[in-house]
Amino acid sequence: MTGKVKLDSYRDAGILVSIDLVNELVVEEAGEAASRDAVAALKRILAVDANSVAALRPGHVRGFGELARELHRVFAALDRDDLDAAALRVNRLLSRHPAHPYLAKEAGRWRLHHHPADAPLLSMWSAICAEGLASMISADRASRLGICERVECGRAYVDLTRNASRRFCSLNCQNRVKVAAFRERASLGTRRERSGSI
Ligand SMILES: [Zn+2]
C-alpha cells in the first residue's frame, strides 16, 4: 500500500510500543551488560500512558521481556514476508490477552478506553501491542513493519514513507551500509586494477 502513513502516539501506541519493546528489551539487551535498568527503559517505552508508568514494578520486567521476544518473532516473520506465521503468533497473543474496552468519565465526558485503568499491566499491553500489529497486517501494511537490513543492527522499525521503500531503522544505518558498499566497490576496483582486469 502506498501513501504516507501517519501514526498517532495514542491511537497507534500498540505499534510504536511493540517496536520500542523489541528494540529496547531484545536487540539492545543482547548487546549490553545485564546491569541495564529495565524498569527505567519500560517507563520510557510506556510513557504514552501515565497510569501504566505509575503501575510499573520491577516484577513486570520479566513478563515484558517475554512479550518483547514474542513481538520480535512477529517482526522477524513479517521481515521474511511470512504473513501466516506472523498472524498465527499475533492471534495467539490476542486470544491470551483479550481487549477489554471500557468507558471512563474524564472532565465530565465519557471516553472509550482500551482497558479499565486498573487492568493488569502486562496483559493490557500484550493486547494493545498485538492489536496494533494486527491492524497493520489487516490493512495490507504488514510490509511496512520490518527489521533493519544492517546485519549488525537488527532493530525493528515501521516504515512511514510514501512509497514504502524503507529498509533500515534509521538514516544512520542506511548511511553506514552505503559507505561500506562504496568502500567494498572501491577496494574491488583497486584489486582489479592491480591484477590488470577491468
Ligand atoms: Zn539499523
Side-chain angles (χ1 to χ4, degrees):
M1 183 179 278
T2 55
K4 206 164 165 63
V5 176
K6 268 193 88 166
L7 296 186
D8 174 88
S9 65
Y10 185 78
R11 197 192 62 226
D12 300 307
I15 300 163
L16 299 168
V17 167
S18 291
I19 290 171
D20 285 348
L21 284 173
V22 169
N23 291 340
E24 296 265 341
L25 299 190
V26 182
V27 181
E28 298 278 326
E29 191 81 348
E32 288 194 24
S35 61
R36 205 165 160 275
D37 189 346
V39 175
L42 275 170
K43 282 189 175 173
R44 280 197 306 276
I45 295 169
L46 304 180
V48 68
D49 181 41
N51 286 334
S52 295
V53 173
L56 191 69
R57 298 286 175 271
H60 287 117
V61 167
R62 196 174 148 188
F64 273 101
E66 280 165 15
L67 171 63
R69 283 190 289 281
E70 184 58 14
L71 294 171
H72 188 233
R73 291 181 201 110
V74 174
F75 272 88
L78 292 174
D79 197 58
R80 55 175 194 270
D81 293 328
D82 191 347
L83 274 181
D84 292 357
L88 196 76
R89 288 189 183 279
V90 169
N91 269 343
R92 210 151 49 198
L93 280 170
L94 287 171
S95 69
R96 279 186 202 151
H97 307 282
H100 189 162
Y102 181 81
L103 282 166
K105 204 166 198 176
E106 286 173 6
R109 286 193 56 193
W110 288 101
R111 297 199 179 272
L112 184 61
H113 285 252
H114 202 274
H115 282 73
D118 59 353
L121 198 62
L122 179 61
S123 197
M124 176 177 94
W125 279 103
S126 300
I128 295 172
C129 288
E131 200 180 306
L133 300 186
S135 72
M136 291 294 277
I137 293 173
S138 70
D140 289 335
R141 284 178 170 165
S143 61
R144 288 182 173 272
L145 300 173
I147 288 183
C148 183
E149 270 193 24
R150 190 170 75 84
V151 181
E152 303 85 348
C153 173
R155 291 169 71 87
Y157 65 79
V158 57
D159 181 355
L160 302 177
T161 59
R162 190 172 293 278
N163 55 0
S165 56
R166 192 165 156 182
R167 289 156 43 217
F168 300 94
C169 73
S170 61
L171 266 181
N172 180 35
C173 277
Q174 184 177 336
N175 289 337
R176 285 172 76 170
V177 169
K178 265 191 193 165
V179 168
F182 176 79
R183 285 198 185 126
E184 173 74 14
R185 278 198 303 275
S187 81
L188 207 65
T190 314
R191 284 206 296 276
R192 278 180 181 159
E193 268 173 36
R194 277 190 199 135
S195 65
S197 61
I198 303 168

